Amino acid sequence: LIENFSVNLLINFHVAQLEYNGRRDGRNLLHELYGDVGSVRIVFHEIPGKRWDALTHLLEGLGISRQPVAMAEIGVEAANTSQRLLERNPLLSYIGVDPYV
């Protein structure tokens, strides 16, 4: 819950910053490029567990149990998430890189 709340605050802050900084010469560049960002809806789902649990939930939404799904992850560090995703999803085609390791 705390993580959801903090992410919500960060998203709202950055959208407000984009809105404010995107105003030039009477134009709203953010709206011109992306439309009404005020209509963006954020929905949090209570998915217990770790990052790989949330990613598995998203992959299931893409139909990974019925068809192969490809994904890439940048910043895999020690590959804990990668390992668990591949163990749980045999149809997952996965590319992981970490430019700092």
Side-chain angles (χ1 to χ4, degrees):
L1 182 61
I2 291 172
E3 192 172 309
N4 287 346
F5 181 71
S6 63
V7 168
N8 196 355
L9 286 175
L10 281 172
I11 289 171
N12 286 322
F13 171 77
H14 288 295
V15 167
Q17 288 293 100
L18 284 169
E19 182 92 38
Y20 176 77
N21 293 322
R23 295 182 187 275
R24 297 281 186 262
D25 302 322
R27 295 174 59 195
N28 187 330
L29 301 175
L30 185 65
H31 283 242
E32 288 178 22
L33 289 172
Y34 299 107
D36 181 15
V37 294
S39 66
V40 172
R41 206 175 114 228
I42 301 168
V43 178
F44 289 103
H45 299 275
E46 291 301 322
I47 303 168
K50 302 281 188 180
R51 174 177 291 135
W52 49 82
D53 295 315
L55 289 170
T56 296
H57 175 77
L58 293 172
L59 289 168
E60 288 169 356
L62 293 172
I64 193 149
S65 62
R66 299 179 310 277
Q67 63 188 12
V69 173
M71 74 173 277
E73 181 182 14
I74 299 171
V76 299
E77 195 178 351
N80 290 328
T81 300
S82 316
Q83 177 184 350
R84 285 165 178 82
L85 285 175
L86 290 165
E87 287 171 354
R88 294 177 181 187
N89 302 289
L91 295 177
L92 177 62
S93 175
Y94 176 90
I95 297 173
V97 296
D98 197 318
Y100 300 107
V101 174

